[in-house]
Amino acid sequence: MRSAGRLGLAALTALAVLSTGARAQEPYPARPITLVVPFPPGGVADLTARPVAAAMEKVLKSPVGVVNKTGAAGAVGMQFVATSKPDGYTLLLALSSISIIPEADKLFGRPPAFTVDQFAPIALISADPTILVVSADKPWRTAKDFIEDATRRPGQIAFSSSGVYGTLHMAMELFSHAAGIRLRHVPYAGAGPALTAILGGHVDALASGPAVVLPHIKSGKLRPLAGWGAARVAALPDVPTFKELGYPGAEFYIWAGLFAPRDTPPPALATLRASVSAAVGDPDFRAAMDKLETPVAFKQGEEFRKFFEADAKRLAEGVRQVGRVQTQ
Amino acid sequence: MVETLQNLALGFSVALTPGVIFYAFVGCVVGTLVGVLPGIGPLAGISLLLPATFGLDATRAIVMLAGIYYGAMYGGSTTSILMRIPGEAASVMTCIDGYAMARKGRAGAALAIAAVGSYVAGTVSVVALMFLAPPLAAFALRFGPPEYFALLVLGLLVLAYMSGGSMLKALAMAALGLLLGMIGIDQMTGYFRFAYGVVELGDGIGVVPVAVGLFGLAEILATAGLATPPAVIKPKLRELLPSRQEWRQSAWPIGRGTVLGFLIGIVPGSAHIISSFVSYAIERRLSKHPEEFGRGAVAGVAGPESANNSATSGAFVPMLALGVPSGPIPAVMLAAMMVHGVSPGPLLIKQQPELFWGFIASMYVGNVVLLILNLPLVGVFVNLLRVPYPVLYPSILVFCVLGVYAVNGSVVDVWIMLAMGALGYVLRKLDFETAPIVLGVILAPMIEMAFRQSLAMSDGQYAILVTRPIAGTLLAVGGVLALLGLKPLVARGLDWRARLALAGKGEERL
């Protein structure tokens, strides 16, 4: 009885060893890959992830499925990937907020849901500079008018954001810090409500991705003043960047990039980088991104790591500048 | 007027092409299923199916997604009436009187009234959407945080009218709901409140697990605890349709629910859920027999079911006229438009008339499809009640767990549902009503956010809540309502609560 049990155990162990051995040698990818999007369907991350996944499928000749794992402003999905098995079969499509969330956790002294060093960067897919828009019925014609008025009336000009410590909030904070002004922050639950607020005249200014506000700029409801990018936005050639205006600290992008868990084997990472590199050249992918009016900005390997680290550093400073928010 | 009719003709020429009708039909069927399954509501349904529409053209995709949205409002009433399980959050109120009607053998009538009420509300509100969209959208945008706060305070006052039993017990339950609604990230400062390190609690306690637990699971537990199982209701064919008297009782509530739902629906935010609560309270207030509410009042089904359908059309007003996401569901639909290269915005109606008017016309078609789909289904669904309890209830339990899990793919939600089921069972035994908890959970985060946003806007000046015209008016109405509520205390008459208590002594409670 006893020996039979032991024999069974030994057989099981042998089987387990064999199967892991076989797995280590199997060509990558041998199974479907899961691309986790930590935000709900229909958002920027989701709409970027789906064409990327479709284009990667063609290159890898293996299915790439998009899974929305949402919650706590993305922390749930990011934590899920950070702690999942680093075998190259679970990937993450994250936005700029990946570097903000751990910083905010640190600020409040709570155990972080994840840290940025739990991820291996694969590639940057898109980077959209935010632009500063104000209601068209406000007197400010240029960023200079806006800054002068804000200097005269500290804390009186209100802006909406996608949420406290959210991307749109951080963009505005980096700008206020660079320009030495103080604005009034009214957080909303998401970028959509923040846009509704400025269209309804409940706030004066908003930092936003260009695609979302372009129709309202064209219809004359909103006026663009300046952009956070290194270069001007193609669709708005007359709008200067903060850099040109002498505020180099005000640089911010809403970017989307692919990550894997940190200990993913280097051969798998290399395969993934090559597949993304081919995928961003895919005409279907280009067409999908054109419809979203999101510029493709492909960077990989060391180049992406540098971009990511510089961005994370800027945002960490931004979060610390904001500090803990005091409210009424 | 003439121009609108011409445009509508263009719309029908788009909507009646076989391809578009097909996708409207698919959307309606899927929506009905999404509504019937406990847990999965229209938002989860649309989100899950959004990727499947990427291969379609823009008009077909939007028509199908919209079909899921209003189809879910039709379907949501089914399980509420038959099993006291809200198919989605807006059907919570239907659970109360709809299920009571079913226990009395009037399940078929309740289902038919819900379907017809939804049809009337859906069709009338599309007419309103068509003629009033641009001016109403501009008005809706004037609802900023102070106005939203005032509206929600009105919603909170409704609580006082919701319960048939003790006012003290109702308010205690509402307070419990508001406290549960406090769990999660503080939207203004980023603090985690009462999350105890569980990241999933960051978004707070969802309405779906709470509603399914408190109503559905508690009902199953309560039935399991009975010494003798309740008799299986065998509906007869001739009892499927509402009687003449039931039609008469439902006519006005359907009308009022339609107007009310549309008006609440256009307000940006998630206000459409409270439209059914407000409608229920109004019907009870206006009724000559308020003591019937909770025991199978026809108006308690007709009003809320019409209101939640009409609110869906209302929610499309800011989305179509201004390209503004007026809530989570329109936001997903706007994203779907962008995927198809249609840029939503104030110019949509001019630049894409086929899309806009085709969409409007498809809503007429969709509502007819849903009526044709749902009326015959009444007979099928009612027969579910013939299934013996030992088979029926475990299957429902499985569907509840699956549905709640599917919304966010979160096991934490399933645990919340189970805990709420246990809580609901205990509260039932102690004779507390649980609907105020659900309303509290819905209202707490919205009301807190609106209040603190208002103060952020005004730099801490409370005056902003009364000096803005819309907010001031709404709060004044609320004040009048509160005073009216106090009247019986002064006037010492027998109000309906007292009558109800008297009536309750005479008959035995189930």
Side-chain angles (χ1 to χ4, degrees):
Chain A
M1 239 350 239
R2 207 165 166 180
S3 65
R6 213 173 272 168
L7 198 71
L9 198 70
L12 268 179
T13 322
L15 206 68
V17 169
L18 271 177
S19 66
T20 41
R23 178 142 304 160
Q25 283 157 20
E26 77 188 10
Y28 175 82
R31 289 181 282 135
I33 295 174
T34 304
L35 177 55
V36 174
V37 174
F39 303 98
V44 184
D46 181 69
L47 295 180
T48 308
R50 291 184 191 276
V52 170
M56 280 173 74
E57 266 182 13
K58 284 194 215 163
V59 183
L60 291 171
K61 309 255 184 304
S62 169
V64 181
V66 174
V67 173
N68 301 87
K69 204 153 177 62
T70 60
V76 170
M78 294 178 194
Q79 186 191 40
F80 175 79
V81 177
T83 55
S84 67
K85 201 170 164 206
D87 53 5
Y89 291 102
T90 310
L91 309 178
L92 172 73
L93 192 134
L95 305 181
S96 331
S97 55
I98 189 172
S99 354
I100 302 178
I101 294 170
E103 242 358 91
D105 281 340
K106 222 189 276 174
L107 192 65
F108 289 106
R110 58 189 172 224
F114 63 89
T115 51
V116 281
D117 60 12
Q118 282 179 293
F119 297 104
I122 298 174
L124 178 75
I125 292 161
S126 68
D128 215 3
T130 44
I131 54 168
L132 173 65
V133 291
V134 296
S135 305
D137 52 10
K138 297 292 173 196
W140 316 299
R141 298 264 143 205
T142 61
K144 191 163 154 278
D145 295 348
F146 184 84
I147 294 165
E148 276 171 9
D149 198 22
T151 315
R152 252 196 317 276
R153 305 186 290 139
Q156 294 298 305
I157 298 175
F159 70 97
S160 56
S161 82
S162 53
V164 68
Y165 306 115
T167 45
L168 305 186
H169 178 199
M170 294 321 298
M172 216 57 160
E173 285 297 339
L174 291 175
F175 158 59
S176 335
H177 188 76
I181 55 172
R182 198 158 58 78
L183 301 170
R184 186 182 294 170
H185 179 210
V186 185
Y188 281 77
L195 173 66
T196 312
I198 190 173
L199 289 174
H202 306 292
V203 294
D204 312 306
L206 171 72
S208 168
V212 185
V213 284
L214 268 178
H216 302 286
I217 292 172
K218 279 185 200 146
S219 76
K221 292 274 274 181
L222 299 177
R223 182 185 305 132
L225 296 185
W228 269 263
R232 295 186 176 198
V233 173
L236 299 165
D238 301 330
V239 179
T241 65
F242 283 120
K243 248 191 185 148
E244 291 171 42
L245 297 171
Y247 305 104
E251 188 176 347
F252 187 85
Y253 302 89
I254 298 179
W255 53 261
L258 274 185
F259 295 83
R262 182 183 46 203
D263 297 323
T264 306
L269 286 179
T271 310
L272 286 169
R273 288 202 178 106
S275 74
V276 181
S277 167
V280 292
D282 183 84
D284 287 345
F285 173 76
R286 291 273 164 175
M289 295 301 273
D290 278 352
K291 280 183 186 165
L292 298 175
E293 300 188 51
T294 303
V296 176
F298 178 70
K299 282 184 175 42
Q300 63 167 342
E302 219 25 55
E303 207 189 351
F304 176 39
R305 183 181 289 281
K306 269 192 204 137
F307 172 88
F308 174 52
E309 278 166 6
D311 189 75
K313 195 159 155 275
R314 263 200 308 271
L315 290 175
E317 269 165 33
V319 172
R320 280 195 291 272
Q321 279 156 20
V322 178
R324 293 198 189 187
V325 177
Q326 303 294 320
T327 56
Q328 271 82 31
Chain B
M1 185 75 192
V2 177
E3 198 190 347
T4 306
L5 290 179
Q6 276 169 356
N7 285 328
L8 192 61
L10 167 74
F12 273 109
S13 72
V14 175
L16 292 177
T17 52
V20 176
I21 289 189
F22 175 73
Y23 284 102
F25 181 75
V26 171
C28 290
V29 172
V30 172
T32 306
L33 285 176
V34 158
V36 168
L37 286 174
I40 303 182
L43 181 60
I46 289 179
S47 301
L48 291 172
L49 285 163
L50 176 64
T53 65
F54 288 172
L56 306 175
D57 71 48
T59 310
R60 289 174 190 191
I62 294 298
V63 161
M64 179 166 134
L65 292 176
I68 297 175
Y69 189 13
Y70 51 76
M73 294 297 162
Y74 274 77
S77 58
T78 309
T79 45
S80 309
I81 290 170
L82 296 178
M83 291 142 197
R84 205 168 185 264
I85 296 172
E88 35 84 36
S91 293
V92 166
M93 294 321 287
T94 315
C95 284
I96 299 175
D97 282 283
Y99 185 70
M101 281 180 78
R103 297 304 312 167
K104 288 201 286 189
R106 302 301 299 155
L111 287 171
I113 285 173
V116 171
S118 294
Y119 171 74
V120 172
T123 307
V124 172
S125 59
V126 175
V127 176
L129 171 63
M130 194 169 77
F131 286 103
L132 302 175
L136 272 184
F139 176 75
L141 273 190
R142 291 175 59 196
F143 268 77
E147 288 76 19
Y148 206 52
F149 171 75
L151 181 76
L152 294 171
V153 167
L154 261 181
L156 205 57
L157 285 169
V158 158
L159 277 173
Y161 294 125
M162 255 173 46
S163 153
S166 141
M167 173 89 93
L168 184 67
K169 281 183 169 176
L171 291 180
M173 290 298 98
L176 177 63
L178 290 171
L179 283 176
L180 286 174
M182 292 287 148
I183 295 173
I185 297 176
D186 176 347
Q187 301 268 22
M188 301 299 284
T189 66
Y191 273 100
F192 272 66
R193 294 188 299 206
F194 313 114
Y196 302 103
V198 182
V199 182
E200 281 84 355
L201 284 181
D203 284 340
I205 300 238
V207 181
V208 169
V210 171
V212 173
L214 283 180
F215 283 88
L217 284 193
E219 178 68 28
I220 292 174
L221 288 176
T223 312
L226 291 177
T228 47
V232 172
I233 308 160
K234 296 231 166 76
K236 295 182 194 75
L237 200 60
R238 63 183 164 78
E239 286 174 2
L240 279 184
L241 287 177
S243 67
R244 187 172 294 229
Q245 192 205 357
E246 282 166 332
W247 281 127
R248 241 197 328 272
Q249 284 171 347
S250 58
W252 276 109
I254 288 176
R256 283 190 290 263
T258 302
V259 175
L260 183 85
F262 188 76
L263 291 179
I264 293 183
I266 60 171
V267 175
S270 290
H272 65 277
I273 297 177
I274 68 167
S275 70
S276 57
F277 287 86
V278 176
S279 164
Y280 187 85
I282 288 184
E283 291 314 324
R284 170 169 232 170
R285 190 73 192 151
L286 293 177
S287 171
K288 288 194 191 77
H289 302 283
E291 66 276 7
E292 280 178 9
F293 278 70
R295 293 160 186 222
V298 176
V301 175
E305 273 306 312
S306 312
N308 69 28
N309 251 65
S310 154
T312 58
S313 310
F316 288 132
V317 167
M319 172 187 132
L320 288 173
L322 300 172
V324 170
S326 46
I329 295 169
V332 176
M333 296 188 56
L334 284 178
M337 286 194 195
M338 286 188 73
V339 169
H340 290 100
V342 176
S343 85
L347 306 176
L348 176 75
I349 302 180
K350 284 203 192 81
Q351 286 173 349
Q352 306 264 350
E354 293 88 5
L355 178 81
F356 178 81
W357 291 102
F359 172 70
I360 296 273
S362 83
M363 287 176 76
Y364 286 106
V365 178
N367 273 294
V368 175
V369 169
L370 280 167
L371 191 69
I372 297 173
L373 200 66
N374 274 276
L375 278 183
L377 279 181
V378 166
V380 179
F381 283 135
V382 162
N383 278 311
L384 278 180
L385 293 177
R386 291 173 188 267
V387 178
Y389 288 104
V391 178
L392 183 66
Y393 277 0
S395 340
I396 295 177
L397 206 56
V398 170
F399 276 112
C400 285
V401 173
L402 283 179
V404 166
Y405 177 77
V407 176
N408 288 322
S410 155
V411 182
V412 175
D413 279 351
V414 177
W415 283 112
I416 294 174
M417 179 191 77
L418 294 177
M420 286 297 147
L423 177 71
Y425 175 75
V426 173
L427 291 174
R428 261 177 83 112
K429 286 286 169 198
L430 298 175
D431 215 13
F432 282 89
E433 283 183 51
T434 46
I437 302 184
V438 179
L439 188 58
V441 170
I442 294 171
L443 284 181
M446 296 203 275
I447 210 166
E448 187 204 353
M449 181 89 178
F451 180 63
R452 296 175 69 187
Q453 280 175 329
S454 307
L455 290 184
M457 281 170 73
S458 70
D459 204 16
Q461 304 298 313
Y462 288 86
I464 191 173
L465 299 174
V466 286
T467 48
R468 296 177 39 131
I470 302 175
T473 313
L474 286 173
L475 283 179
V477 172
V480 171
L481 274 184
L483 284 179
L484 282 179
L486 290 177
K487 201 180 95 185
L489 290 182
V490 188
R492 279 271 156 230
L494 260 192
D495 79 336
W496 57 268
R497 252 176 239 284
R499 281 209 304 267
L500 180 59
L502 283 180
K505 272 178 200 154
E507 66 182 90
E508 212 169 330
R509 273 195 72 127
L510 214 121

